[in-house]
Every structure is written in structure tokens, then in C-alpha cells.
């Protein structure tokens, strides 16, 4: 048992009793006398014991803990230790309530007894305990015991020298603004660059908790593997670039795909079609098209163009298509602004400014962050959720957002409705023709060809009638499939203006003539649900879908 420097004896409370320890004197002048112990007991209101007992303990002076007498009052006077043990039994913390007047200071013995009473034997930080005792640290949780975690076995891992999850979800600057200039999906590597290397396996090693119990380590797994694909070279468990280009993973293999960088796409280059990724350092001139199998990155704003990418499209400025611009992406589309254009995205659409008078087909989510973040005019069909500041305008510009359904499924449904109307019009026209010829057939000596014409028309009408019934059944089933995704929502940080229409599938929400302010709109259990928007108190079912700050794409 340890003791404080120059400590001659200690008198303290433990489990309802007064406990005395007398330490061997370090010099003749350190002699302990029974009277001073008795005075200390009197001060602490400890019931007295025979002086002979105190003298015997002083004579032994070996630091042994000696239980003197019951002392219930000591519990309220002495510093109180509160112990908190983590669920995994790997950590113990103590908070010390300060003593009352006359209760003395916290002692090392209190720590020792508390740990002993709770069976904590391993990982005890005695330096932290000594610090608590010496500095009398009260009202603060302090870690005094920590187990040693098990080291779980791991097979050889792959260390990538490029970002394998670039652009997910976005790079944000302070204030929530997305920096499209830093959003580089194309990672250019030169021939000979190291792309991946194999990390040595980790062998399992058992740990222990604060009770001295063994914590089992998981055995080593099979580890990770990666193949060297096109444009790469495997050497000594490392993959190197075998040519210049964009590095990415495709079907379990690291590949280098060709990358073309052009200043502009115009009469000098002509329309561009490329099996790989393309960086346009300038712009694409009106009337020209670009089609790539990989990513397409355009630095300056574009207009009446057609652009298509197998993966992502990054418009570092934006597009004003004058009703002729068209962008299609197999992944996400990023833009600073969108105006009078058609955008089709198999992923999400992320815009840092405004969307004006455009048509959007988005299979992922629609996010407007930074700048004005408003959607004015046009039609947008979004499979997931929508987050922006404003929808519509003060002038009640007609703006329609349809959320919670796949754009292609909605297009197919609307196309079937259109075809159904056309077939009904055709049937009505056939009925009018049949009536016309039937009237002619009432006169004597009618040409037999009229009867044949009536038969032909009736046969065609019967065919169209069957087709109409089939279409009605198909539309009925399609309508069932157009039930909105329960996770879809529209979050308007500022306003949904009159003139805007928000549809969840085929269910329309129209704001009143004052508009709807600061709202989260959902469609749950067959009805609309409005929740006031407060950035500090976003409902959990909404917050879990919104993007979090992430590391920027490399």
C-alpha cells in the first residue's frame, strides 16, 4: 500500500466504518501519538475507542488497514466517489463529489477500496489516481482504468493511391457552398505511377478488460484483392499505371482509361465522341455535341448543346440552353446554374445556384446549396428528395415538382394515358363512320359494298375496344406502382410560392395564396404532412438522408 509523502497516518471512511492506517516513522520526529488520532476522531465525530487500541496500532505502525468503529456519519462528510463503467467493460471513470467541512480530502485508499469492491484489477492508471488525490480534482469525470483492446486479425489490405469514392456526396466550403472547381472526378495518372499496394496482414492478439477478463481477437480474414485491368501493370503485389490516363475501378479491377483534354468543342474539333473521359477547358459551342463513356467536365458555361456521359457531368459554370440544351448523365450532374434546358440524370442533380424554366428527370436526389438555391418555372421529376431555398416566385410562375417516383415510370404512365386518349378518339371516329354508313344502308337497293365497309369498320372498332381494355388494365397497374417513395420529401428552407405545385407521385399539393414558408413536405399514409423547417431541429427521418460533410474528392 502506498502513502503520500510525509504522511504519518490516515483516518478515513470505508463501508460504514472508520479505518485507521499508521505508517512507519521515517524519522524519530515522525512519531504518531494516540492523542492526536483521538483529536482527529473527535473533530470528525467518530465514536471514540479505547486509547489502548490506538496505542497498539501505533506500536505496530506497519500501514495495515485497521477497522476502528462504525461511523455512519462519515458517508455524508467524506468525499464521494462515483464510478462509471463502460458497457464493453473496457473503461472506468470516476467523478469525485467534494467533501463537506470536516470531512477531509479524498484519499488513495478510497480509490483502492472502490476498485477492489468492484473487482477492477487491470489497466488501472495509478498516475491519474495520484493526480486526483494530490490536486483534489472534484466534479469532473476522469478515466482511471482502461482495458487493452484486442487486435483483430486482418488479411492483407489494399492501399489505394487514388480516391476510390470521389465526389460522394459533394465538397462543401464554409457556408454550405459547393466548390465545383474542386470537384474533379478525373484523376489523371502518368505511366509508371503507383496505383495500389498490398498492406501486410495484421495478426490477431488477445486483449483484456478492466476486470482482467480476456477479450478475444477475431481471426484473420482472407484479405482484399484487386485485379490489374486495362492500362495497368502488376509487379511485386503493386499495380502501376502502364499508360497515361484516368484511374478508376471497374468490375473489381483497377484500370487506366483514356482522357482527352480539349480547349473547346467547336468547328475546329467538330462533334466529339470518345470512349473514355473528356475535360473541356473552355466551352462547347452552340449546336455541337459531346458523347463520352466516362466523365465529362466542362469549365465554362454552355448553351444549345447536347452532352452525354456514361458517368458524371460536371458543369463548373452552368448551362443556358435556350430550350435546346440537353445534358444526359449515367451518374450525377453538377452545375452552378441551369436555365431553359433538359437535364436527365441516372444519379443526383446538384446545383449551387438556381434552376430556371427547365425540365429535369432525376433518378436520385435534387439538391440546391449556396447562392439563391431556387427553382423557378419548368417541370422536375425526382425519384428521391428535394432540398432548396425557394420553389416558384412572387409572380406565381408555374413550377411543378413531382417527387418520389422514377421519371421513366412516370413518362411511361403519361405516355399510356396519351395513347389511351388517342385510341378513344379513334374509336369515336369509327363509331361515327359506322353510323354514317348504317344510315345509307336503310334505303332500298343499297350498294352491297356499304355492308362490307360497315363490317370492316366494326371489326376495327372491336379490335380498338380490346386494346382500350388492355390499356386500362395496364394503366391501373402502373398507377399502383406510382405510389410515392415514403422516404421522399421536399425541404424548402424559405418559401413555396403560390403557382408552384408539388406532386408526390400522382398526389398534388398546392400552397395557399400566401404560400408555404419554411417547410418540410412529405406524403405519408395517404396524406400530406407538413413540418416546420428549423435547421437546428431537423427530424431524424429527414436528417439521415441529407448529405454530411465529407472529405473532398481528389
Amino acid at each position: 500500500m502506498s502513502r503520500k509523502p510525509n504522511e504519518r497516518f490516515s483516518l478515513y471512511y470505508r463501508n460504514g466504518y472508520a479505518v485507521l492506517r499508521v505508517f512507519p516513522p521515517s524519522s524519530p520526529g515522525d512519531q504518531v501519538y494516540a492523542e492526536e488520532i483521538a483529536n482527529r476522531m473527535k473533530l470528525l465525530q467518530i465514536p471514540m475507542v479505547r486509547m489502548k487500541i490506538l496505542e497498539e496500532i501505533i506500536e505496530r505502525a506497519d500501514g495495515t488497514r485497521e477497522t476502528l468503529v462504525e461511523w455512519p456519519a462519515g458517508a455524508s462528510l467524506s468525499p464521494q466517489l462515483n464510478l462509471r463503467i463502460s458497457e464493453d467493460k473496457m473503461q472506468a471513470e470516476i467523478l469525485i463529489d467534494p467533501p463537506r467541512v470536516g470531512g477531509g480530502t479524498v484519499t488513495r485508499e478510497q480509490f483502492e477500496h472502490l476498485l477492489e469492491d468492484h473487482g477492477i484489477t487491470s489497466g488501472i492508471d495509478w498516475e491519474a489516481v495520484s493526480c486526483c488525490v494530490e490536486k483534489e480534482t472534484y466534479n469532473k469525470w476522469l478515466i482511471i482504468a482502461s482495458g487493452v483492446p484486442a487486435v483483430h486479425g486482418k488479411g492483407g489490405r489494399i492501399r489505394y493511391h487514388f480516391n476510390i469514392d470521389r465526389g460522394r456526396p459533394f465538397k462543401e466550403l464554409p457556408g454550405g457552398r459547393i466548390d465545383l472547381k474542386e470537384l474533379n472526378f478525373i484523376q489523371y495518372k502518368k505511366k509508371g505511377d503507383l496505383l495500389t499496394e498490398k498492406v501486410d496482414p495484421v495478426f490477431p492478439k488477445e486483449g483484456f478488460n478492466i476486470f482482467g477478463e480476456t477479450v478475444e481477437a477475431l481471426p484473420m480474414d482472407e484479405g482484399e484483392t484487386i485485379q490489374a485491368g486495362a492500362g495497368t501493370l502488376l509487379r511485386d503485389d503493386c499495380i502501376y499505371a502502364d499508360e497515361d490516363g484516368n484511374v478508376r475501378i471497374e468490375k473489381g479491377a483497377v484500370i487506366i482509361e483514356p482522357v482527352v483534354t480539349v480547349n473547346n468543342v467547336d468547328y475546329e474539333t467538330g462533334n466529339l465522341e470518345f470512349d473514355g473521359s473528356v475535360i473541356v477547358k473552355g466551352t462547347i459551342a452552340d449546336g455541337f455535341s459531346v458523347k463520352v463513356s466516362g466523365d465529362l467536365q466542362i469549365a465554362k458555361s454552355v448553351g444549345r448543346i447536347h452532352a452525354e456521359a456514361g458517368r458524371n457531368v460536371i458543369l463548373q459554370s452552368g448551362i443556358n440552353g435556350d430550350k435546346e440544351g440537353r445534358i444526359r448523365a449515367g451518374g450525377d450532374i453538377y452545375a452552378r446554374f441551369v436555365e431553359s434546358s433538359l437535364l436527365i440524370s441516372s444519379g443526383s442533380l446538384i446545383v449551387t445556384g438556381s434552376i430556371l424554366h427547365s425540365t429535369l428527370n432525376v433518378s436520385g436526389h435534387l439538391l440546391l446549396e449556396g447562392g439563391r438555391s431556387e427553382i423557378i418555372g419548368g417541370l422536375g421529376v425526382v425519384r428521391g428528395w428535394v432540398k432548396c431555398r425557394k420553389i416558384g416566385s412572387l409572380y406565381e410562375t408555374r413550377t411543378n415538382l413531382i417527387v418520389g417516383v422514377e421519371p421513366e415510370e412516370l413518362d411511361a404512365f403519361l405516355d399510356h394515358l396519351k395513347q389511351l386518349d388517342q385510341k378513344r378518339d379513334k374509336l369515336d371516329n369509327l363509331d361515327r363512320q359506322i353510323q354514317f354508313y348504317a344510315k345509307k344502308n336503310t334505303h332500298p337497293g343499297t350498294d352491297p359494298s356499304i355492308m362490307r365497309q360497315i363490317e370492316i369498320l366494326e371489326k376495327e372498332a372491336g379490335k380498338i375496344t380490346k386494346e382500350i381494355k388492355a390499356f386500362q388494365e395496364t394503366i391501373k397497374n402502373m398507377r399502383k406502382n406510382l405510389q410515392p417513395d415514403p422516404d421522399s420529401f421536399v425541404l424548402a428552407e424559405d418559401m413555396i410560392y403560390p403557382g408552384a405545385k408539388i406532386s408526390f407521385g400522382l398526389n398534388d399539393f398546392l400552397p395557399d395564396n400566401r404560400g408555404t414558408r419554411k417547410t418540410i413536405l412529405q406524403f405519408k399514409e395517404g396524406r400530406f404532412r407538413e413540418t416546420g423547417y428549423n435547421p437546428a431541429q431537423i427530424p431524424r427521418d429527414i436528417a439521415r438522408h441529407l448529405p454530411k460533410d465529407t472529405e473532398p474528392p481528389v
Side-chain angles (χ1 to χ4, degrees), residues 382-398:
V382 181
R383 174 68 176 81
W385 46 260
V386 176
K387 181 178 182 289
C388 61
R389 288 188 62 205
K390 299 177 183 178
I391 301 172
S393 73
L394 282 170
Y395 305 104
E396 301 190 12
T397 306
R398 187 172 180 180

Side-chain angles (χ1 to χ4, degrees), residues 113-122 210-212:
H113 299 329
L114 183 68
L115 295 171
E116 181 181 325
D117 292 343
H118 285 82
I120 297 173
T121 58
S122 300
I210 58 176
F211 300 106

